[in-house]
Amino acid sequence: MAAADIIAAARALDALGFMPSKSGNLSCRTPRGCLITPAGLPYAETSPEDLVEIALDGGILAGHRRPSSEWRLHTAIYAARPEAGAVVHTHSPFATALSCARQPIPPFHYMIALGGGSDIPCSAYATFGTAALAEATVAALEGRKAALLANHGAVALGRTLAGARTLAMEVENLARQYLALRAAGLSPVLLDGAELHEVFAQFGDYGRLT
């Protein structure tokens, strides 16, 4: 994955309002670890040379800037999920709002299956940038490809950067729809286990990690 692709994806998500105040971060796995966006630099001002390659233990392999403060979250996911080739962490508004209620997104729509299971879970709370948050994130992602981070935001993983980015966008879409239902005073009818089983069967390769 070229550094330019990471920057392009970050700028696209930023333009959608997913990265307010330079709050989100992206990474792609490399043979030695991962390539991650830098700390504190607006994406409009980020160049390929600003990205940082780090080992999964956090050691700097290449780059002249500090890696994102959430490098522990990214490296913990790569260590726990060998199929993950990219990680996208956002503060997209609707997913973040729901995370502040510490509630998952339930199976009110069949597209929930893109996240790998019957819901988009919400992690336990931990301070940003800490090993505790990385541990809580990995736990929330067990059996899933996306999760909300309590009082924080959302995270999505994929085999490719395009896959992780698409999933992050779908999580925000689901959160927006779910909150709209609740704001209207409506109670969503949730899909049951049998219905979700049919969804996964119908998805086939469509719902796989991309």
Side-chain angles (χ1 to χ4, degrees):
M1 175 58 61
D5 295 324
I6 298 175
I7 295 170
R11 289 177 177 171
L13 291 170
D14 191 25
L16 291 172
F18 283 29
M19 310 292 213
S21 303
K22 178 47 184 80
S23 55
N25 31 78
L26 292 77
S27 69
C28 287
R29 190 189 291 272
T30 68
R32 302 190 297 174
C34 69
L35 190 63
I36 192 168
T37 50
L41 188 64
Y43 289 118
E45 301 173 14
T46 302
S47 67
E49 294 74 24
D50 293 315
L51 299 188
V52 185
E53 187 180 15
I54 56 176
L56 296 189
D57 64 2
I60 303 296
L61 299 172
H64 65 282
R65 293 190 177 273
R66 289 184 297 113
S68 166
S69 62
E70 295 297 359
W71 66 264
R72 292 177 180 84
L73 181 153
H74 289 254
T75 57
I77 292 172
Y78 290 124
R81 301 290 292 271
E83 78 277 24
V87 174
V88 171
H89 166 47
T90 74
H91 288 197
S92 55
F94 292 100
T96 298
L98 192 55
S99 83
C100 291
R102 302 190 186 182
Q103 295 187 22
I105 305 176
F108 74 99
H109 192 286
Y110 73 86
M111 289 293 280
I112 205 83
L114 284 184
S118 61
D119 65 357
I120 305 295
C122 186
S123 75
Y125 177 75
T127 304
F128 75 93
T130 63
L133 176 60
E135 182 178 346
T137 301
V138 168
L141 284 170
E142 185 174 355
R144 299 291 188 273
K145 295 174 281 188
L148 305 181
L149 308 181
N151 303 87
H152 188 150
V155 66
L157 60 93
R159 292 192 187 278
T160 66
L161 180 58
R165 173 184 165 188
T166 297
L167 182 53
M169 293 171 66
E170 186 56 39
V171 169
E172 176 67 1
N173 186 49
L174 289 165
R176 177 179 56 82
Q177 294 168 342
Y178 181 57
L179 287 173
L181 276 167
R182 293 180 57 169
L186 300 173
S187 297
V189 178
L190 304 184
L191 301 175
D192 63 26
E195 290 166 332
L196 283 170
H197 180 76
E198 290 186 19
V199 169
F200 280 107
Q202 187 72 8
F203 267 19
D205 283 347
Y206 177 61
R208 76 184 190 280
L209 186 65
T210 58

